[in-house]
Amino acid sequence: VDTKIHIKVRPFAQQFLNIMKDHFEVMIFTASSELYANTIINALDPKKECISYIFHRGFCFETNKGIRIKDLRIFKNRDLKDLIIVDNFVPAFSFQLENGVPILDWVGDRKDKELMYLTSYLLKAKESADMREYNKKNLNLLELAKSFAPPQSVLP
């Protein structure tokens, strides 16, 4: 069965990939199925010039509540200080919160500029010796996460 799918591409996605490939090793880590991931990546990078690796849901850790977490420790030959994960679902990178850069969901807005902002952020981040320190200084996600912690029980 030959099935065609129509995908909508976020504004500046192609420019983002073309810039990133010159500065970073670009890996896709998605909670989607392998087939879906490969289909999308083949559309975005048909000549395989931008994206080095694709990791799909089979590489995710799944919690008992069905949340798929992308654990960067699977990259045995990469140092965590050199990794950044970008995701629109913060729990997806909760094992390495300091490596994470949240991005807003894209809902089809053709005027969306998130990838332009992300490009600027990542190009500045690459000058840092430790991506986690750069993120901690600029995003402070650990402190933000603490502010959302449930209140302590007042019952004995």
Side-chain angles (χ1 to χ4, degrees), residues 43-84:
L44 286 174
D45 188 19
K47 295 180 182 176
K48 311 233 181 297
E49 297 173 330
C50 300
I51 299 166
S52 301
Y53 300 99
I54 303 170
F55 298 90
H56 50 80
R57 78 169 44 150
F59 294 93
C60 295
F61 170 81
E62 189 169 350
T63 70
N64 60 358
K65 296 192 186 241
I67 296 173
R68 290 188 175 94
I69 298 177
K70 300 164 186 174
D71 188 350
L72 299 179
R73 293 174 294 186
I74 69 168
F75 305 116
K76 301 290 185 201
N77 57 347
R78 307 291 192 285
D79 193 318
L80 285 175
K81 74 177 184 58
D82 298 324
L83 298 177
I84 282 186

Side-chain angles (χ1 to χ4, degrees), residues 6-151:
H6 176 75
I7 63 168
K8 292 182 181 179
V9 178
R10 190 174 201 151
F12 306 104
Q14 212 60 58
Q15 297 93 320
F16 175 78
L17 287 173
N18 284 324
I19 293 168
M20 292 299 108
K21 75 175 169 61
D22 293 336
H23 299 277
F24 298 99
E25 177 181 35
V26 178
M27 296 186 270
I28 302 301
F29 197 170
T30 179
S32 297
S33 72
E34 182 177 11
L35 177 63
Y36 181 79
N38 286 329
T39 301
I40 300 302
I41 299 311
N42 287 337
L44 286 174
D45 188 19
K47 295 180 182 176
K48 311 233 181 297
E49 297 173 330
C50 300
I51 299 166
S52 301
Y53 300 99
I54 303 170
F55 298 90
H56 50 80
R57 78 169 44 150
F59 294 93
C60 295
F61 170 81
E62 189 169 350
T63 70
N64 60 358
K65 296 192 186 241
I67 296 173
R68 290 188 175 94
I69 298 177
K70 300 164 186 174
D71 188 350
L72 299 179
R73 293 174 294 186
I74 69 168
F75 305 116
K76 301 290 185 201
N77 57 347
R78 307 291 192 285
D79 193 318
L80 285 175
K81 74 177 184 58
D82 298 324
L83 298 177
I84 282 186
I85 182 168
V86 177
D87 207 295
N88 64 328
F89 184 60
V90 173
F93 57 83
S94 59
F95 284 0
Q96 292 89 26
L97 199 57
E98 291 178 338
N99 291 84
V101 176
I103 188 167
L104 295 175
D105 285 336
W106 182 58
V107 292
D109 179 7
R110 300 305 310 156
K111 295 178 183 172
D112 179 274
K113 294 183 179 177
E114 276 295 294
L115 292 178
M116 288 176 57
Y117 304 141
L118 181 60
T119 299
S120 176
Y121 183 84
L122 294 176
L123 291 177
K124 290 175 188 166
K126 83 176 194 120
E127 304 302 324
S128 179
D130 188 330
M131 297 295 185
R132 298 166 299 186
E133 292 300 318
Y134 182 82
N135 278 348
K136 196 183 310 181
K137 177 181 168 191
N138 291 282
L139 300 176
N140 210 6
L141 291 179
L142 284 176
E143 286 303 312
L144 183 61
K146 289 177 188 173
S147 71
F148 287 102

